[in-house]
């Protein structure tokens, strides 16, 4: 019987869309996950957590600085084969725990986005120190891994962040002919998503229909005439198979601002995705880049119209984008790939 390493994984949050990853990893390791309450970030916790131990530690915070009491004592316990810690420098307990216990450096893996929203020479100098002293580094994307090597000389490994299990990929429904386009957005309402751009688009183009699906979509202001016409519809939080009908309805997934896991969701349902070219994105955007998905400036009406007119004139491009995105996602953007990558890094540490 193979040995299952004892892993302590500390993340900012452990919401429902991470549950599949934790469960799969928990089948191959003795996994303990530590995180803050999901409600603190308006996230949804899974109804049931399986195959791993979950410890919830609320943070005390002042401004943008966080402190999780008890984290050092937990990390100091004897028996961990690997300590995998989210590298968020605003969480001081994580940094102080690492620096104050040199004995754990040989089994410590920093994990996450690595780089913050703001950059400074001093912060990057400090980031380089803790990365080089740790035993490993796991990043969300290959772009981040290359950047870590370039800046700090550390051989980081990308786990290609995803939320899709291989068996969940579906055959897409693709319209052979249509007068206009059905555009879909799925996710939480956030200002940085700039969803109002899609409402404005539907207001000036009668050939565009929209669906917004996700928590807090009631915050989007939609002209009464558009809602009454049925061309713009808003739906609350929807997950699992209940999402199928929305993706089957859509011709194209549209993300007019910051993009994240929606790229993976589009791939799951074999739909292409058009993304704003001028916004700052989460690492998942790299799948869309690699798969040749369209990026356009959603703030430029002329560019948007030119793009949409081209698509409507030749709908066959929609299936090309959809198939290319799903094929690439299947090859290396899955929960299985994430788990295998984490275990390879962990195994190299506790077996050495």
């Amino acid at each position: 019987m193979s040995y299952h390493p004892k892993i302590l994984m500390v993340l900012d949050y452990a919401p429902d869309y991470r549950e599949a990853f934790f469960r799969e990893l928990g089948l191959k390791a003795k996994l303990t996950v530590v995180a803050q309450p999901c409600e603190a970030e308006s996230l949804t916790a899974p109804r049931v957590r399986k195959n791993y131990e979950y410890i919830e530690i609320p943070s005390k915070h002042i401004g943008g600085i966080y402190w999780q009491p008890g984290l050092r004592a937990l990390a100091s316990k004897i028996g961990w084969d690997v300590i995998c810690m989210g590298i968020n420098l605003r969480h001081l307990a994580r940094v102080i725990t690492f620096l104050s216990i040199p004995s754990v450096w040989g089994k410590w893996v920093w994990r996450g986005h690595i780089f913050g929203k703001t950059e400074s020479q001093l912060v990057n100098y400090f980031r380089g120190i803790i990365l080089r002293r740790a035993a490993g580094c796991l990043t969300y994307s290959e772009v981040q891994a290359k950047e870590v090597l370039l800046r700090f000389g550390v051989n980081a490994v990308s786990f290609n962040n995803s939320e899709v299990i291989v068996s969940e990929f579906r055959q897409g429904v693709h319209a052979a002919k249509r007068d206009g386009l059905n555009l879909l957005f799925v996710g939480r309402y956030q200002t940085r998503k700039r969803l109002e751009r899609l409402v404005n688009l539907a207001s000036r183009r009668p050939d565009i229909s929209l669906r917004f699906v996700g928590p807090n979509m009631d915050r989007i202001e939609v002209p009464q005439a558009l809602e009454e016409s049925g061309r713009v519809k808003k739906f609350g939080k929807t997950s699992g198979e209940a999402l199928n009908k929305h993706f089957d309805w859509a011709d194209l997934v549209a993300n007019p601002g910051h993009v994240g896991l929606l790229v993976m969701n589009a791939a799951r349902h074999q739909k292409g995705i058009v993304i704003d070219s001028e916004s700052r994105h989460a690492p998942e955007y790299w799948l869309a880049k690699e798969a040749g998905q369209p990026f356009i400036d959603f703030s430029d009406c002329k560019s948007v119209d030119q793009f949409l007119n081209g698509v409507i004139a030749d709908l066959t491009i929609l299936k090309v984008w959809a198939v290319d995105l799903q094929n690439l996602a299947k090859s290396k953007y899955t929960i299985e790939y994430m788990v295998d990558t984490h275990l390879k890094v962990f195994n190299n540490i506790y077996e050495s």
Side-chain angles (χ1 to χ4, degrees):
M1 186 174 181
S2 61
Y3 176 69
H4 285 194
K6 192 173 181 181
I7 309 297
L8 174 65
M9 181 173 287
V10 180
L11 306 175
D12 289 359
Y13 304 97
D16 52 359
Y17 57 79
R18 295 293 182 210
E19 181 64 13
F21 167 67
F22 296 142
R23 290 188 183 191
E24 289 295 315
L25 184 58
L27 290 172
K28 300 178 181 179
K30 295 177 181 178
L31 176 65
T32 297
V33 174
V34 177
Q36 302 167 109
C38 289
E39 295 76 16
E41 191 63 18
S42 298
L43 297 169
T44 303
R47 293 180 181 178
V48 179
R49 296 183 184 274
K50 291 178 61 177
N51 304 339
Y52 64 100
E53 181 182 0
Y54 176 67
I55 301 174
E56 194 165 273
I57 304 180
S59 290
K60 299 178 180 179
H61 59 92
I62 300 176
I65 303 301
Y66 297 82
W67 182 267
Q68 280 180 294
L71 190 60
R72 187 183 188 283
L74 184 60
S76 300
K77 286 186 175 180
I78 297 174
W80 301 118
D81 291 306
V82 176
I83 297 174
C84 184
M85 191 76 61
I87 185 167
N88 186 335
L89 299 185
R90 294 179 181 275
H91 279 266
L92 290 185
R94 302 178 191 178
V95 177
I96 291 175
T97 296
F98 176 75
L99 293 176
S100 64
I101 318 176
S103 61
V104 303
W105 293 355
K107 56 184 177 183
W108 191 288
V109 176
W110 287 114
R111 175 191 189 277
H113 295 291
I114 312 300
F115 304 100
K117 294 180 181 179
T118 58
E119 293 290 325
S120 75
Q121 288 187 341
L122 180 61
V123 170
N124 276 328
Y125 177 76
F126 178 72
R127 188 178 282 124
I129 290 175
I130 63 174
L131 283 172
R132 284 189 286 268
R133 290 181 180 177
C137 178
L138 282 160
T139 70
Y140 277 64
S141 71
E142 294 172 8
V143 173
Q144 291 175 333
K146 291 177 182 178
E147 188 70 10
V148 170
L149 179 60
L150 179 65
R151 292 198 192 189
F152 309 119
V154 173
N155 289 314
V157 178
S158 170
F159 55 82
N160 294 351
N161 190 46
S162 181
E163 62 167 1
V164 186
I165 296 172
V166 170
S167 61
E168 293 177 339
F169 286 102
R170 303 175 61 234
Q171 182 74 36
V173 176
H174 303 284
K177 187 176 182 181
R178 196 187 297 284
D179 294 331
L181 282 180
N182 293 344
L183 303 182
L184 172 69
F185 175 87
V186 177
R188 286 186 294 158
Y189 174 83
Q190 292 176 304
T191 302
R192 62 180 179 171
K193 304 291 185 180
R194 302 197 173 187
L195 301 182
E196 290 76 11
R197 288 177 169 177
L198 293 180
V199 177
N200 294 334
L201 174 61
S203 295
R204 63 184 181 80
R205 289 195 59 141
D207 56 350
I208 299 299
S209 295
L210 302 174
R211 284 190 185 181
F212 297 104
V213 182
N216 302 320
M217 287 302 169
D218 56 312
R219 297 181 185 177
I220 305 175
E221 294 185 7
V222 179
Q224 184 176 353
L226 273 182
E227 287 201 275
E228 290 178 349
S229 71
R231 286 202 298 114
V232 177
K233 293 184 178 181
K234 297 183 288 185
F235 300 83
K237 179 177 174 58
T238 309
S239 59
E241 292 185 359
L243 277 173
N244 292 359
K245 63 182 180 181
H246 296 296
F247 279 95
D248 290 348
W249 168 88
D251 295 310
L252 184 65
V253 177
N255 203 113
H258 171 90
V259 77
L261 283 170
L262 182 53
V263 179
M264 305 300 168
N265 221 350
R268 185 204 312 260
H269 296 274
Q270 201 184 74
K271 288 297 165 83
I273 182 170
V274 56
I275 298 170
D276 182 52
S277 60
E278 305 306 305
S279 296
R280 182 187 179 96
H281 299 301
E284 293 81 12
Y285 90 97
W286 189 245
L287 166 59
K289 275 287 188 184
E290 276 194 289
Q293 302 301 289
F295 283 71
I296 64 173
D297 183 356
F298 269 93
S299 68
D300 183 348
C301 293
K302 184 177 180 180
S303 295
V304 173
D305 285 340
Q306 185 177 12
F307 167 77
L308 294 174
N309 292 339
V311 172
I312 292 171
D314 182 11
L315 293 179
T316 59
I317 190 62
L318 293 172
K319 188 171 182 179
V320 172
W321 288 331
V323 171
D324 287 350
L325 182 66
Q326 188 178 85
N327 285 345
L328 182 59
K330 279 183 176 179
S331 70
K332 61 176 184 176
Y333 288 87
T334 65
I335 294 295
E336 290 88 347
Y337 186 95
M338 287 179 65
V339 170
D340 287 347
T341 303
H342 278 75
L343 286 174
K344 285 177 183 177
V345 172
F346 297 163
N347 290 346
N348 286 338
I349 291 172
Y350 79 81
E351 290 178 352
S352 61

